[in-house]
Amino acid sequence: MGRAKTIARRTFLIGSVAIAGGVAFGVYKVKTPHDNPLADTLEPGQATFNPFVKITSDSITLITPHADIGQGVVHMQAALIAEELDLEFGQFETSFGSPDAAYFNTALGAEAVPFASFDEGFAARTMRTVATSAFKLLGVMGTGGSSSVPDQYEKLRRAGAIARETLKLAASKEADIPVSQLSTKNGAVVFPDGSLRTYQDLAASAAKLTPVSDVTLRDPSTWRLIGKPMKRDDILGKSTGTQTYTIDLEIEGMVHAAIRINPRRAEVLEYDASEAEAMPGVSRVLPVTNGLAVIANSTWRAINAANQINFDWAEAPYPAEMDAHWAEVAASFMEDRLDQEWRSDGDPDAAMESTEVLTAEYRAPYVAHQPLEPLAAIVRVDNEGAEVWAGHQLPRFVQQKVAAIAGCEPDQVTFHNQYSGGSFGHRLEFDNITLTTEIATQMPGVPVKLTFSREEDFAQDYPRQIGMSRSSGSVKDGKVDSWSLDIATVSAARSQSARLGLPAAGPDTQIAAGAWSMPYAIPHLRVRAYAVPELAPTSSWRSVGASTAGFFAEGYLDELIHFAGADPMEERLRLCTNPIHRQVLETIAEMSNWGSDLSENQGRGVAMVESFGVPTAEVVEVTNTEDGIKIDRVYIVADVGRVIDPVNFENLMQGGVIWGLGHAINSEITYSDGIAEQTNYDAAEGMRLYQTPEIIVKGLENAEKIRGIGEPPVPPAAPALANAIFAATGQRLREMPFNKHIDFV
């Protein structure tokens, strides 16, 4: 009955939104495409067919609007267009393009609705349609949530096909040969006699035509690029150190800036900058929100001078010490903080009334984003508007933020997106850009380059949410029978939305992400999410809520299975009712040779977590040595519907495992006197090279929908490792980082 009430209430709300959406949007308006922003940039003889392809007499440019934060998304987007346009790598250049509503993300809206990925009911489909329509009309352009591939998979192939067929039509008209007798290859139209006309040669003729809209996408059996191993277009630059990032950029007339901002995220009471002002190369010290900026003739001199400023900081608007943070989380398991009851199957309370109950509490700390490239930006403000150079995942929001500070309109802000040296959610925030703009408005016409020191980057980070779970469950006849899972975290989504100036309506789907959508048919299962009032401000961190809730769920499930005396893999398979998820488990069981004998001090653990619609299972094997736990190997399987590039897929899977394991073992952010105690990598280590295990990867393509793989490998890593350690030592790890309780080698 509880489940029925939840669904009924949700369906009512969704129906209301759908009706309101239909009235507010209008079917015609939703179906009308955005204008092509490339059309405004054309010179005579240049052609564009859609927002993603531009051809001139001497070049082909493919627009790849999703931000590349190290995941290879420029390469992926280019490959999708090139597949249909019959281009080879090396025949074209890529550009992030200018921010525009035409580049709205078709997948973000669908992923934001409160339904499991495998729920194809009327309410789920309706809400996804409404959400996608809203994102289109608002022109929400963003990279995140592993949405780049699902957003672009069909869109970019179609863009390439439209360009291909229009170029063939141009060649047909020039040569008076039917289009049906023409083909394309290697960036050229091929005539029946074997002669060629390059796309560049046809640009002027194609520019006079209305793009062909009735196109057929290539059958997968004919693909040259998609699904085949490819060398990423950026791999040479990244391998040789010649790839340009924001921290590498030089603009004529540029000055360098560094900041000191209140590490408690509050105002400055007093300061003394006299010593900094007298240092070599320093030209000015300027006020910015909650701190000061030093202007100098080099980044090094600016950072050194900034470190010499004496400050009296105001107190933090959140608890000063960590014990108070944890106490607030622990106090949030109460009715008035219930954010949503996501699952209510059977009657867990009744099932546990007359049987032995297993209880456990799990904890996950704040964790920093800590990408290798520290935050940086270049901004120039003048009477005409503003110009920005930075790597960011929300380009149109960048324009809005800068415009509000510079006193201009968003369309007067020119944004040059850059490759980013990592993000993990860090570049969904704006402090580097807004602070640089604050400085630039005080120095009109001068390009200002702000580079955060590593310590300032840590101090000003918006970390992953802190959280806790409380589970109770029972078993029956050697099987898992009941489970009540309560999860309490601060809401990173609401914290982030507030900084974006957006309303955060409805429940936060991320608090219990990876737990409420478990594909396990446990007879009595309840999953409740509790919203902890905001403590330290938080933000999206690679895999967001699933990075914590996945650990809570799969760690305790393993305990419950052991309590039942069952095998961890066999019981998960018995409980798993979704065929796609089940095949992921079956595949990893076979890959890892689950059930085979291990040495006396070895252990094997399994976990499966779905995040962003991707079921991902990992098996970790460890050895308990005299000096600590050694991670020997990891097996990982995920089903994304279609693997675009097997090489990049493998790299992302391996990188996700390393990221997840490293942070589970070593990393946390703690606060003392209102200030983050960890300020550099020595205090927040990832996984060391000597600790890195062998990682065996397999991608499945059974799912109907195409998904991304940037984040899904992360959530299963921590619980699979914890479960393996239990198998090897008998010790349960219920709190990250694990190195607080056990040694690793």
Side-chain angles (χ1 to χ4, degrees):
M1 178 60 99
R3 176 64 172 164
K5 287 182 179 178
T6 301
I7 294 300
R9 180 169 62 251
R10 191 188 303 161
T11 303
F12 171 77
L13 292 172
I14 289 161
S16 300
V17 171
I19 293 169
V23 172
F25 303 157
V27 174
Y28 174 78
K29 192 171 183 180
V30 169
K31 290 187 175 182
T32 302
H34 290 288
D35 292 337
N36 181 358
L38 299 181
D40 297 331
T41 68
L42 295 181
E43 297 178 5
Q46 299 180 347
T48 180
F49 314 92
N50 47 62
F52 303 98
V53 181
K54 179 179 177 180
I55 300 179
T56 71
S57 61
D58 57 7
S59 67
I60 300 173
T61 302
L62 306 183
I63 306 301
T64 54
H66 276 280
D68 199 306
I69 48 181
Q71 81 281 43
V73 75
V74 164
H75 159 78
M76 178 277 297
Q77 292 172 99
L80 291 173
I81 301 173
E83 181 66 75
E84 293 288 342
L85 191 45
D86 275 325
L87 291 172
E88 301 296 332
F89 282 93
Q91 292 187 308
F92 55 83
E93 56 190 36
T94 62
S95 169
F96 289 111
S98 298
D100 194 271
Y103 302 117
F104 80 99
N105 190 319
T106 57
L108 277 177
E111 288 302 317
V113 302
F115 291 92
S117 65
F118 46 82
D119 187 341
E120 290 298 327
F122 172 77
R125 289 184 285 108
T126 300
M127 191 57 175
R128 291 185 187 116
T129 300
V130 171
T132 300
S133 299
F135 272 59
K136 176 183 179 180
L137 293 174
L138 294 171
V140 177
M141 179 185 179
T143 302
S146 295
S147 65
S148 296
V149 169
D151 173 43
Q152 300 286 46
Y153 177 69
E154 184 171 339
K155 188 188 300 182
L156 294 188
R157 288 162 57 220
R158 180 173 171 77
I162 288 171
R164 178 192 73 224
E165 294 305 313
T166 307
L167 288 161
K168 286 167 62 178
L169 180 61
S172 168
K173 290 182 176 298
E174 279 191 3
D176 195 23
I177 296 175
V179 171
S180 60
Q181 296 182 23
L182 303 177
S183 61
T184 55
K185 184 178 181 180
N186 294 340
V189 174
V190 183
F191 292 93
D193 63 359
S195 60
L196 306 173
R197 288 293 305 279
T198 68
Y199 294 162
Q200 293 93 322
D201 289 342
L202 291 166
S205 296
K208 301 173 184 177
L209 302 175
T210 299
V212 177
S213 59
D214 185 12
V215 296
T216 301
L217 300 182
R218 296 271 171 81
D219 187 271
S221 64
T222 68
W223 285 347
R224 305 166 295 108
L225 302 174
I226 300 175
K228 310 295 193 299
M230 292 180 267
K231 184 177 80 172
R232 263 173 50 175
D233 205 32
D234 59 345
I235 202 66
L236 179 61
K238 290 182 175 180
S239 299
T240 58
T242 56
Q243 179 66 56
T244 300
Y245 300 94
T246 305
I247 57 171
D248 302 312
L249 294 179
E250 298 282 341
I251 306 296
E252 186 176 354
M254 180 179 77
V255 298
H256 296 266
I259 54 163
R260 286 288 304 287
I261 305 295
N262 188 340
R264 300 186 182 117
R265 297 197 176 278
E267 62 183 4
V268 177
L269 299 178
E270 293 181 357
Y271 68 87
D272 179 1
S274 58
E275 187 174 345
E277 290 172 326
M279 292 182 71
V282 174
S283 59
R284 302 176 70 176
V285 175
L286 299 172
V288 293
T289 300
N290 294 339
L292 294 174
V294 173
I295 311 303
N297 57 9
S298 75
T299 295
W300 180 247
R301 284 180 163 175
I303 290 175
N304 283 342
N307 288 335
Q308 300 308 310
I309 303 175
N310 294 314
F311 287 96
D312 183 9
W313 305 119
E315 295 301 313
Y318 47 82
E321 305 299 327
M322 276 309 302
D323 285 349
H325 289 247
W326 284 116
E328 190 66 45
V329 177
S332 295
F333 293 96
M334 60 177 68
E335 187 65 29
D336 63 355
R337 293 186 182 178
L338 179 63
D339 195 58
Q340 179 73 11
E341 183 174 280
W342 290 103
R343 294 280 289 271
S344 184
D345 305 337
D347 190 341
D349 295 330
M352 286 185 267
E353 273 183 3
S354 57
T355 188
E356 187 177 0
V357 175
L358 176 71
T359 62
E361 181 177 280
Y362 279 67
R363 293 187 173 199
Y366 294 115
V367 179
H369 292 90
Q370 60 193 78
L372 189 60
E373 182 196 10
L375 291 177
I378 301 174
V379 178
R380 178 174 56 214
V381 175
D382 56 29
N383 293 333
E384 301 299 319
E387 196 165 8
V388 181
W389 293 262
H392 205 275
Q393 295 169 245
L394 299 170
R396 299 194 76 205
F397 281 102
V398 167
Q399 290 179 305
Q400 294 175 18
K401 293 278 188 181
V402 171
I405 297 169
C408 61
E409 296 299 319
D411 61 6
Q412 292 177 286
V413 177
T414 301
F415 178 54
H416 307 281
N417 213 347
Q418 305 295 314
Y419 276 89
S420 297
S423 173
F424 318 112
H426 205 29
R427 287 176 169 84
L428 288 167
E429 298 294 339
F430 300 87
D431 289 7
N432 57 321
I433 293 172
T434 55
L435 289 166
T436 311
T437 306
E438 288 185 32
I439 302 167
T441 57
Q442 300 174 71
M443 303 180 68
V446 178
V448 176
K449 181 179 183 179
L450 170 62
T451 305
F452 280 48
S453 67
R454 182 68 64 193
E455 291 75 15
E456 202 68 29
D457 193 294
F458 266 79
Q460 300 305 321
D461 190 21
Y462 299 90
R464 182 185 72 182
Q465 67 278 352
I466 186 175
M468 182 185 296
S469 74
R470 289 175 177 169
S471 283
S472 57
S474 64
V475 300
K476 185 177 181 181
D477 300 328
K479 300 173 183 177
V480 173
D481 183 60
S482 70
W483 180 9
S484 177
L485 170 59
D486 291 344
I487 297 174
T489 77
V490 296
S491 173
R494 293 185 183 119
S495 182
Q496 206 167 359
S497 294
R499 292 188 293 277
L500 283 169
L502 297 175
D508 180 358
T509 61
Q510 287 300 317
I511 291 176
W516 66 268
S517 58
M518 291 184 293
Y520 300 127
I522 297 172
H524 307 282
L525 174 62
R526 180 174 60 225
V527 180
R528 295 181 292 204
Y530 294 83
V532 180
E534 183 163 276
L535 300 168
T538 54
S539 185
S540 298
W541 186 90
R542 190 176 184 181
S543 74
V544 203
S547 69
T548 50
F551 169 57
F552 301 155
E554 282 289 316
Y556 177 78
L557 177 60
D558 212 69
E559 291 197 50
L560 200 53
I561 292 172
H562 180 74
F563 189 53
D567 177 83
M569 183 71 76
E570 291 178 2
E571 182 66 353
R572 281 178 172 84
L573 283 167
R574 185 189 71 81
L575 293 168
C576 188
T577 56
N578 184 281
I580 301 299
H581 295 68
R582 183 178 177 83
Q583 190 151 3
V584 168
L585 278 174
E586 290 173 340
T587 302
I588 203 161
E590 181 180 354
M591 279 176 60
S592 63
N593 198 19
W594 186 273
S596 61
D597 292 336
L598 295 173
S599 300
E600 182 179 353
N601 294 318
Q602 288 186 305
R604 185 185 283 135
V606 60
M608 180 173 70
V609 181
E610 180 199 288
S611 60
F612 304 100
V614 180
T616 307
E618 296 178 29
V619 167
V620 175
E621 293 180 353
V622 303
T623 299
N624 185 24
T625 74
E626 292 183 357
D627 297 318
I629 292 292
K630 180 181 183 296
I631 306 175
D632 300 314
R633 65 188 55 82
V634 177
Y635 301 89
I636 177 168
V637 178
D639 194 320
V640 292
R642 176 72 69 180
V643 175
I644 305 301
D645 178 353
V647 175
N648 200 48
F649 179 87
E650 182 179 46
N651 291 340
L652 283 169
M653 292 272 271
Q654 292 171 332
V657 168
I658 293 169
W659 178 264
L661 291 177
H663 284 82
I665 291 170
N666 296 317
S667 299
E668 67 176 334
I669 292 293
T670 57
Y671 291 90
S672 178
D673 195 24
I675 299 172
E677 296 183 284
Q678 296 75 19
T679 62
N680 213 320
Y681 289 125
D682 63 325
E685 292 184 2
M687 176 168 273
R688 295 285 189 168
L689 186 61
Y690 68 84
Q691 295 176 313
T692 304
E694 178 186 10
I695 303 172
I696 301 96
V697 173
K698 187 173 183 61
L700 302 182
E701 299 179 310
N702 299 311
E704 182 179 346
K705 293 183 178 179
I706 308 300
R707 303 287 184 177
I709 198 58
E711 295 167 281
V714 175
L721 174 58
N723 296 340
I725 291 171
F726 171 76
T729 68
Q731 181 178 355
R732 280 289 179 192
L733 299 178
R734 300 188 180 108
E735 179 184 20
M736 297 188 283
F738 297 156
N739 65 1
K740 296 170 73 171
H741 308 283
I742 200 164
D743 293 327
F744 291 85
V745 295

PDB file of all heavy atoms in Angstrom, residues 567-589:
ATOM      1  N   ASP A 567      25.714 -17.128  -0.654  1.00  0.00           N
ATOM      2  CA  ASP A 567      26.857 -16.658  -1.435  1.00  0.00           C
ATOM      3  C   ASP A 567      26.548 -15.262  -1.984  1.00  0.00           C
ATOM      4  O   ASP A 567      25.458 -15.040  -2.536  1.00  0.00           O
ATOM      5  CB  ASP A 567      27.129 -17.618  -2.591  1.00  0.00           C
ATOM      6  CG  ASP A 567      28.260 -17.139  -3.469  1.00  0.00           C
ATOM      7  OD1 ASP A 567      29.424 -17.384  -3.121  1.00  0.00           O
ATOM      8  OD2 ASP A 567      27.973 -16.482  -4.499  1.00  0.00           O
ATOM      9  N   PRO A 568      27.469 -14.304  -1.866  1.00  0.00           N
ATOM     10  CA  PRO A 568      27.203 -12.926  -2.291  1.00  0.00           C
ATOM     11  C   PRO A 568      26.788 -12.786  -3.753  1.00  0.00           C
ATOM     12  O   PRO A 568      25.911 -11.970  -4.071  1.00  0.00           O
ATOM     13  CB  PRO A 568      28.527 -12.210  -2.023  1.00  0.00           C
ATOM     14  CG  PRO A 568      29.162 -13.001  -0.926  1.00  0.00           C
ATOM     15  CD  PRO A 568      28.775 -14.418  -1.200  1.00  0.00           C
ATOM     16  N   MET A 569      27.396 -13.574  -4.628  1.00  0.00           N
ATOM     17  CA  MET A 569      27.042 -13.484  -6.042  1.00  0.00           C
ATOM     18  C   MET A 569      25.735 -14.223  -6.320  1.00  0.00           C
ATOM     19  O   MET A 569      24.837 -13.697  -7.004  1.00  0.00           O
ATOM     20  CB  MET A 569      28.162 -14.054  -6.920  1.00  0.00           C
ATOM     21  CG  MET A 569      27.905 -13.936  -8.417  1.00  0.00           C
ATOM     22  SD  MET A 569      28.019 -12.234  -9.023  1.00  0.00           S
ATOM     23  CE  MET A 569      29.815 -12.018  -9.025  1.00  0.00           C
ATOM     24  N   GLU A 570      25.612 -15.430  -5.806  1.00  0.00           N
ATOM     25  CA  GLU A 570      24.425 -16.229  -6.096  1.00  0.00           C
ATOM     26  C   GLU A 570      23.155 -15.574  -5.556  1.00  0.00           C
ATOM     27  O   GLU A 570      22.106 -15.599  -6.205  1.00  0.00           O
ATOM     28  CB  GLU A 570      24.595 -17.629  -5.506  1.00  0.00           C
ATOM     29  CG  GLU A 570      25.656 -18.467  -6.214  1.00  0.00           C
ATOM     30  CD  GLU A 570      25.835 -19.834  -5.575  1.00  0.00           C
ATOM     31  OE1 GLU A 570      25.099 -20.142  -4.601  1.00  0.00           O
ATOM     32  OE2 GLU A 570      26.712 -20.595  -6.039  1.00  0.00           O
ATOM     33  N   GLU A 571      23.243 -14.965  -4.368  1.00  0.00           N
ATOM     34  CA  GLU A 571      22.053 -14.335  -3.802  1.00  0.00           C
ATOM     35  C   GLU A 571      21.692 -13.069  -4.579  1.00  0.00           C
ATOM     36  O   GLU A 571      20.504 -12.780  -4.784  1.00  0.00           O
ATOM     37  CB  GLU A 571      22.266 -14.014  -2.319  1.00  0.00           C
ATOM     38  CG  GLU A 571      21.077 -13.393  -1.620  1.00  0.00           C
ATOM     39  CD  GLU A 571      19.856 -14.309  -1.501  1.00  0.00           C
ATOM     40  OE1 GLU A 571      19.856 -15.423  -2.089  1.00  0.00           O
ATOM     41  OE2 GLU A 571      18.878 -13.915  -0.834  1.00  0.00           O
ATOM     42  N   ARG A 572      22.670 -12.316  -5.035  1.00  0.00           N
ATOM     43  CA  ARG A 572      22.368 -11.151  -5.866  1.00  0.00           C
ATOM     44  C   ARG A 572      21.694 -11.587  -7.170  1.00  0.00           C
ATOM     45  O   ARG A 572      20.749 -10.963  -7.634  1.00  0.00           O
ATOM     46  CB  ARG A 572      23.646 -10.358  -6.165  1.00  0.00           C
ATOM     47  CG  ARG A 572      24.110  -9.459  -5.017  1.00  0.00           C
ATOM     48  CD  ARG A 572      25.416  -8.752  -5.371  1.00  0.00           C
ATOM     49  NE  ARG A 572      25.795  -7.747  -4.388  1.00  0.00           N
ATOM     50  CZ  ARG A 572      26.452  -7.987  -3.265  1.00  0.00           C
ATOM     51  NH1 ARG A 572      26.795  -9.247  -2.965  1.00  0.00           N
ATOM     52  NH2 ARG A 572      26.767  -7.010  -2.433  1.00  0.00           N
ATOM     53  N   LEU A 573      22.191 -12.670  -7.741  1.00  0.00           N
ATOM     54  CA  LEU A 573      21.584 -13.177  -8.973  1.00  0.00           C
ATOM     55  C   LEU A 573      20.154 -13.648  -8.726  1.00  0.00           C
ATOM     56  O   LEU A 573      19.264 -13.430  -9.556  1.00  0.00           O
ATOM     57  CB  LEU A 573      22.431 -14.321  -9.540  1.00  0.00           C
ATOM     58  CG  LEU A 573      23.713 -13.910 -10.270  1.00  0.00           C
ATOM     59  CD1 LEU A 573      24.611 -15.112 -10.500  1.00  0.00           C
ATOM     60  CD2 LEU A 573      23.366 -13.249 -11.611  1.00  0.00           C
ATOM     61  N   ARG A 574      19.937 -14.282  -7.604  1.00  0.00           N
ATOM     62  CA  ARG A 574      18.578 -14.739  -7.287  1.00  0.00           C
ATOM     63  C   ARG A 574      17.622 -13.560  -7.125  1.00  0.00           C
ATOM     64  O   ARG A 574      16.472 -13.603  -7.569  1.00  0.00           O
ATOM     65  CB  ARG A 574      18.595 -15.566  -5.999  1.00  0.00           C
ATOM     66  CG  ARG A 574      17.238 -16.198  -5.663  1.00  0.00           C
ATOM     67  CD  ARG A 574      17.245 -16.817  -4.282  1.00  0.00           C
ATOM     68  NE  ARG A 574      17.267 -15.819  -3.227  1.00  0.00           N
ATOM     69  CZ  ARG A 574      16.189 -15.163  -2.789  1.00  0.00           C
ATOM     70  NH1 ARG A 574      14.989 -15.397  -3.331  1.00  0.00           N
ATOM     71  NH2 ARG A 574      16.291 -14.277  -1.820  1.00  0.00           N
ATOM     72  N   LEU A 575      18.098 -12.499  -6.507  1.00  0.00           N
ATOM     73  CA  LEU A 575      17.263 -11.334  -6.247  1.00  0.00           C
ATOM     74  C   LEU A 575      17.073 -10.438  -7.468  1.00  0.00           C
ATOM     75  O   LEU A 575      16.102  -9.683  -7.543  1.00  0.00           O
ATOM     76  CB  LEU A 575      17.879 -10.492  -5.117  1.00  0.00           C
ATOM     77  CG  LEU A 575      17.891 -11.121  -3.721  1.00  0.00           C
ATOM     78  CD1 LEU A 575      18.780 -10.301  -2.792  1.00  0.00           C
ATOM     79  CD2 LEU A 575      16.486 -11.212  -3.162  1.00  0.00           C
ATOM     80  N   CYS A 576      17.996 -10.522  -8.418  1.00  0.00           N
ATOM     81  CA  CYS A 576      17.990  -9.593  -9.557  1.00  0.00           C
ATOM     82  C   CYS A 576      16.936 -10.000 -10.583  1.00  0.00           C
ATOM     83  O   CYS A 576      17.029 -11.063 -11.208  1.00  0.00           O
ATOM     84  CB  CYS A 576      19.367  -9.545 -10.202  1.00  0.00           C
ATOM     85  SG  CYS A 576      19.521  -8.264 -11.459  1.00  0.00           S
ATOM     86  N   THR A 577      15.952  -9.138 -10.774  1.00  0.00           N
ATOM     87  CA  THR A 577      14.838  -9.460 -11.662  1.00  0.00           C
ATOM     88  C   THR A 577      14.934  -8.796 -13.025  1.00  0.00           C
ATOM     89  O   THR A 577      14.248  -9.200 -13.954  1.00  0.00           O
ATOM     90  CB  THR A 577      13.515  -9.042 -11.004  1.00  0.00           C
ATOM     91  OG1 THR A 577      13.578  -7.646 -10.677  1.00  0.00           O
ATOM     92  CG2 THR A 577      13.260  -9.846  -9.737  1.00  0.00           C
ATOM     93  N   ASN A 578      15.751  -7.752 -13.147  1.00  0.00           N
ATOM     94  CA  ASN A 578      15.865  -7.061 -14.431  1.00  0.00           C
ATOM     95  C   ASN A 578      16.876  -7.799 -15.307  1.00  0.00           C
ATOM     96  O   ASN A 578      18.021  -8.011 -14.905  1.00  0.00           O
ATOM     97  CB  ASN A 578      16.308  -5.614 -14.211  1.00  0.00           C
ATOM     98  CG  ASN A 578      16.353  -4.829 -15.507  1.00  0.00           C
ATOM     99  OD1 ASN A 578      17.293  -4.949 -16.272  1.00  0.00           O
ATOM    100  ND2 ASN A 578      15.321  -4.029 -15.750  1.00  0.00           N
ATOM    101  N   PRO A 579      16.485  -8.200 -16.530  1.00  0.00           N
ATOM    102  CA  PRO A 579      17.377  -9.030 -17.348  1.00  0.00           C
ATOM    103  C   PRO A 579      18.688  -8.343 -17.729  1.00  0.00           C
ATOM    104  O   PRO A 579      19.719  -9.010 -17.848  1.00  0.00           O
ATOM    105  CB  PRO A 579      16.533  -9.350 -18.590  1.00  0.00           C
ATOM    106  CG  PRO A 579      15.445  -8.318 -18.607  1.00  0.00           C
ATOM    107  CD  PRO A 579      15.176  -7.975 -17.187  1.00  0.00           C
ATOM    108  N   ILE A 580      18.661  -7.034 -17.944  1.00  0.00           N
ATOM    109  CA  ILE A 580      19.891  -6.316 -18.308  1.00  0.00           C
ATOM    110  C   ILE A 580      20.869  -6.338 -17.140  1.00  0.00           C
ATOM    111  O   ILE A 580      22.059  -6.642 -17.301  1.00  0.00           O
ATOM    112  CB  ILE A 580      19.570  -4.863 -18.717  1.00  0.00           C
ATOM    113  CG1 ILE A 580      18.606  -4.833 -19.906  1.00  0.00           C
ATOM    114  CG2 ILE A 580      20.855  -4.112 -19.037  1.00  0.00           C
ATOM    115  CD1 ILE A 580      19.128  -5.489 -21.155  1.00  0.00           C
ATOM    116  N   HIS A 581      20.384  -6.018 -15.950  1.00  0.00           N
ATOM    117  CA  HIS A 581      21.229  -6.036 -14.763  1.00  0.00           C
ATOM    118  C   HIS A 581      21.717  -7.446 -14.461  1.00  0.00           C
ATOM    119  O   HIS A 581      22.883  -7.647 -14.086  1.00  0.00           O
ATOM    120  CB  HIS A 581      20.463  -5.493 -13.555  1.00  0.00           C
ATOM    121  CG  HIS A 581      20.089  -4.048 -13.658  1.00  0.00           C
ATOM    122  ND1 HIS A 581      19.166  -3.576 -14.562  1.00  0.00           N
ATOM    123  CD2 HIS A 581      20.517  -2.955 -12.960  1.00  0.00           C
ATOM    124  CE1 HIS A 581      19.037  -2.262 -14.420  1.00  0.00           C
ATOM    125  NE2 HIS A 581      19.839  -1.869 -13.459  1.00  0.00           N
ATOM    126  N   ARG A 582      20.831  -8.400 -14.640  1.00  0.00           N
ATOM    127  CA  ARG A 582      21.202  -9.781 -14.347  1.00  0.00           C
ATOM    128  C   ARG A 582      22.332 -10.256 -15.255  1.00  0.00           C
ATOM    129  O   ARG A 582      23.260 -10.934 -14.806  1.00  0.00           O
ATOM    130  CB  ARG A 582      19.984 -10.701 -14.488  1.00  0.00           C
ATOM    131  CG  ARG A 582      20.279 -12.150 -14.114  1.00  0.00           C
ATOM    132  CD  ARG A 582      19.055 -13.035 -14.225  1.00  0.00           C
ATOM    133  NE  ARG A 582      19.411 -14.417 -13.922  1.00  0.00           N
ATOM    134  CZ  ARG A 582      19.492 -14.914 -12.695  1.00  0.00           C
ATOM    135  NH1 ARG A 582      19.230 -14.158 -11.659  1.00  0.00           N
ATOM    136  NH2 ARG A 582      19.834 -16.182 -12.504  1.00  0.00           N
ATOM    137  N   GLN A 583      22.285  -9.852 -16.512  1.00  0.00           N
ATOM    138  CA  GLN A 583      23.351 -10.277 -17.425  1.00  0.00           C
ATOM    139  C   GLN A 583      24.683  -9.637 -17.056  1.00  0.00           C
ATOM    140  O   GLN A 583      25.746 -10.233 -17.255  1.00  0.00           O
ATOM    141  CB  GLN A 583      22.989  -9.946 -18.874  1.00  0.00           C
ATOM    142  CG  GLN A 583      23.943 -10.583 -19.875  1.00  0.00           C
ATOM    143  CD  GLN A 583      23.272 -10.875 -21.201  1.00  0.00           C
ATOM    144  OE1 GLN A 583      22.118 -10.567 -21.413  1.00  0.00           O
ATOM    145  NE2 GLN A 583      24.020 -11.481 -22.106  1.00  0.00           N
ATOM    146  N   VAL A 584      24.635  -8.422 -16.514  1.00  0.00           N
ATOM    147  CA  VAL A 584      25.859  -7.790 -16.035  1.00  0.00           C
ATOM    148  C   VAL A 584      26.467  -8.630 -14.917  1.00  0.00           C
ATOM    149  O   VAL A 584      27.675  -8.902 -14.900  1.00  0.00           O
ATOM    150  CB  VAL A 584      25.575  -6.351 -15.549  1.00  0.00           C
ATOM    151  CG1 VAL A 584      26.771  -5.782 -14.783  1.00  0.00           C
ATOM    152  CG2 VAL A 584      25.238  -5.448 -16.728  1.00  0.00           C
ATOM    153  N   LEU A 585      25.622  -9.064 -13.983  1.00  0.00           N
ATOM    154  CA  LEU A 585      26.108  -9.901 -12.889  1.00  0.00           C
ATOM    155  C   LEU A 585      26.610 -11.257 -13.387  1.00  0.00           C
ATOM    156  O   LEU A 585      27.663 -11.747 -12.948  1.00  0.00           O
ATOM    157  CB  LEU A 585      24.987 -10.119 -11.869  1.00  0.00           C
ATOM    158  CG  LEU A 585      24.753  -9.009 -10.843  1.00  0.00           C
ATOM    159  CD1 LEU A 585      23.513  -9.320 -10.012  1.00  0.00           C
ATOM    160  CD2 LEU A 585      25.965  -8.815  -9.937  1.00  0.00           C
ATOM    161  N   GLU A 586      25.875 -11.869 -14.294  1.00  0.00           N
ATOM    162  CA  GLU A 586      26.295 -13.168 -14.828  1.00  0.00           C
ATOM    163  C   GLU A 586      27.633 -13.057 -15.541  1.00  0.00           C
ATOM    164  O   GLU A 586      28.500 -13.945 -15.421  1.00  0.00           O
ATOM    165  CB  GLU A 586      25.224 -13.699 -15.786  1.00  0.00           C
ATOM    166  CG  GLU A 586      23.940 -14.131 -15.097  1.00  0.00           C
ATOM    167  CD  GLU A 586      22.835 -14.490 -16.075  1.00  0.00           C
ATOM    168  OE1 GLU A 586      22.911 -14.064 -17.254  1.00  0.00           O
ATOM    169  OE2 GLU A 586      21.884 -15.183 -15.651  1.00  0.00           O
ATOM    170  N   THR A 587      27.815 -11.961 -16.270  1.00  0.00           N
ATOM    171  CA  THR A 587      29.060 -11.773 -17.022  1.00  0.00           C
ATOM    172  C   THR A 587      30.241 -11.597 -16.090  1.00  0.00           C
ATOM    173  O   THR A 587      31.309 -12.182 -16.295  1.00  0.00           O
ATOM    174  CB  THR A 587      28.939 -10.561 -17.958  1.00  0.00           C
ATOM    175  OG1 THR A 587      27.839 -10.761 -18.842  1.00  0.00           O
ATOM    176  CG2 THR A 587      30.217 -10.370 -18.768  1.00  0.00           C
ATOM    177  N   ILE A 588      30.053 -10.804 -15.033  1.00  0.00           N
ATOM    178  CA  ILE A 588      31.200 -10.576 -14.142  1.00  0.00           C
ATOM    179  C   ILE A 588      31.486 -11.811 -13.299  1.00  0.00           C
ATOM    180  O   ILE A 588      32.643 -12.066 -12.937  1.00  0.00           O
ATOM    181  CB  ILE A 588      30.986  -9.329 -13.266  1.00  0.00           C
ATOM    182  CG1 ILE A 588      32.348  -8.807 -12.812  1.00  0.00           C
ATOM    183  CG2 ILE A 588      30.082  -9.604 -12.062  1.00  0.00           C
ATOM    184  CD1 ILE A 588      32.359  -7.390 -12.343  1.00  0.00           C
ATOM    185  N   ALA A 589      30.484 -12.581 -13.009  1.00  0.00           N
ATOM    186  CA  ALA A 589      30.719 -13.836 -12.288  1.00  0.00           C
ATOM    187  C   ALA A 589      31.595 -14.764 -13.123  1.00  0.00           C
ATOM    188  O   ALA A 589      32.533 -15.396 -12.612  1.00  0.00           O
ATOM    189  CB  ALA A 589      29.390 -14.506 -11.952  1.00  0.00           C
TER     190      ALA A 589
END
